Amino acid sequence: MYALNLLRGTPEESFLRLPIYCYNLEKKNSWTVTHIKTSDDNKFEYFFMDIGCAVRAFQRCLHPIIIFDGAHLKWKYLGTMFIALGMDSNKQILPIAFGGGKTESGESWIWFLSRLKECIGDMPSLAIISDRANSIEMAIQAVFPNAYHGLCCRHLLMNMRTNIAESKKDVTEYAKKVIDRRINKSSAFRVYQIDQSRYEVTNQMKNGIVNLESRYCTCGKWQLSGIPCTHDMALFKELRY
């Protein structure tokens, strides 16, 4: 901790520099917007930042789809980082906005989404992708009530307990196509149970060991993309998931 403070400065010093950082960020980057919210006793509560060129790129070049997620911070003052992302036709990620707050609550997400809406306005046919967090769901309904809200296929499929065809209505079009293709490819696979949670799935050319308990396949595709591979699909069909 002492060495990091010497290299980076203390967290308290960083908080004190945040207003001047925001001022210079807006001054040097056209259309960039920042917000800092403090309590009545001048303590930090929320932070928001979007880079103007990223917002313009999203509005002009990308489909109206935004992905929201939060990450818990593990430094002295903890808190949560909020992020809004877009994705282009090459599946490359474009960060649109960042934020920070003390907790990942409905109130903090509403504040973050409200600041974002001030930047992008009301977009027709807007679609929003997130995990199942109730705080995000509540904020989307409050700030973007006309947007379509879908669930992230990775979070959905990693927690899937129902029939695949029934679950696919909650995933993106890209994920649906991948799932359909892998279901078709898995039709000739054979399934052999190894123990309570492990199964060998084979079609003489592409063998895989699937562990349902840890949601793992030796081919690596399930862990890499979050979308079950052909071995998983064959096993789901065998077990009638």
Side-chain angles (χ1 to χ4, degrees):
M1 181 72 73
Y2 178 74
L4 288 174
N5 286 343
L6 289 176
L7 290 171
R8 305 174 181 175
T10 66
E12 293 81 5
E13 291 171 341
S14 296
F15 275 109
L16 289 173
R17 292 172 180 164
L18 190 57
I20 191 65
Y21 170 77
C22 291
Y23 170 80
N24 284 296
L25 194 65
E26 293 185 3
K27 186 176 181 180
K28 297 296 183 179
N29 298 274
S30 300
W31 304 100
T32 293
V33 176
T34 63
H35 290 282
I36 301 174
K37 178 178 172 57
T38 57
S39 62
D40 294 337
D41 54 354
N42 204 34
K43 292 183 179 180
F44 173 84
E45 289 194 347
Y46 305 124
F47 166 72
F48 174 87
M49 173 185 71
D50 82 60
I51 306 299
C53 60
V55 172
R56 292 199 302 274
F58 169 71
Q59 292 174 320
R60 298 175 184 178
C61 305
L62 273 65
H63 292 298
I65 300 173
I66 301 178
I67 304 166
F68 290 119
D69 203 359
H72 297 288
L73 304 177
K74 298 180 180 180
W75 193 230
K76 180 178 180 180
Y77 292 104
L78 302 179
T80 302
M81 183 180 75
F82 311 110
I83 188 168
L85 303 170
M87 183 175 289
D88 66 16
S89 299
N90 293 321
K91 296 198 294 183
Q92 298 178 121
I93 291 175
L94 174 69
I96 302 171
F98 299 92
K102 293 183 291 186
T103 60
E104 187 178 7
S105 63
E107 181 181 355
S108 60
W109 273 112
I110 288 175
W111 187 87
F112 177 75
L113 266 61
S114 297
R115 303 292 78 75
L116 177 63
K117 188 175 184 179
E118 293 172 359
C119 299
I120 66 174
D122 285 310
M123 299 185 66
S125 304
L126 178 65
I128 295 174
I129 307 298
S130 74
D131 60 20
R132 289 181 177 271
N134 292 331
S135 55
I136 301 180
E137 172 78 23
M138 182 179 69
I140 292 171
Q141 292 179 1
V143 181
F144 294 102
N146 298 321
Y148 170 80
H149 181 204
L151 298 176
C152 167
C153 62
R154 180 181 184 278
H155 288 90
L156 180 69
L157 292 171
M158 290 295 283
N159 293 282
M160 183 172 61
R161 290 295 184 273
T162 58
N163 179 273
I164 294 174
E166 295 174 353
S167 300
K168 280 166 57 183
K169 65 183 180 182
D170 288 326
V171 300
T172 65
E173 289 298 323
Y174 168 77
K176 287 180 182 178
K177 292 179 181 179
V178 174
I179 292 172
D180 286 337
R181 186 166 63 248
R182 291 179 179 177
I183 289 175
N184 292 333
K185 288 183 177 180
S186 68
S187 59
F189 280 67
R190 294 180 178 272
V191 177
Y192 304 94
Q193 186 169 4
I194 299 174
D195 52 34
Q196 186 173 357
S197 59
R198 293 188 303 152
Y199 296 80
E200 180 182 8
V201 185
T202 177
N203 72 340
Q204 297 182 347
M205 294 181 63
K206 296 182 179 180
N207 298 339
I209 303 296
V210 178
N211 190 318
L212 285 179
E213 185 176 346
S214 60
R215 298 179 177 86
Y216 172 89
C217 180
T218 53
C219 76
K221 292 184 178 180
W222 197 3
Q223 304 89 275
L224 182 64
S225 67
I227 302 177
C229 62
T230 51
H231 305 109
D232 303 322
M233 295 301 182
L235 178 56
F236 295 159
K237 182 179 178 181
E238 180 74 15
L239 299 180
R240 296 186 179 181
Y241 267 37

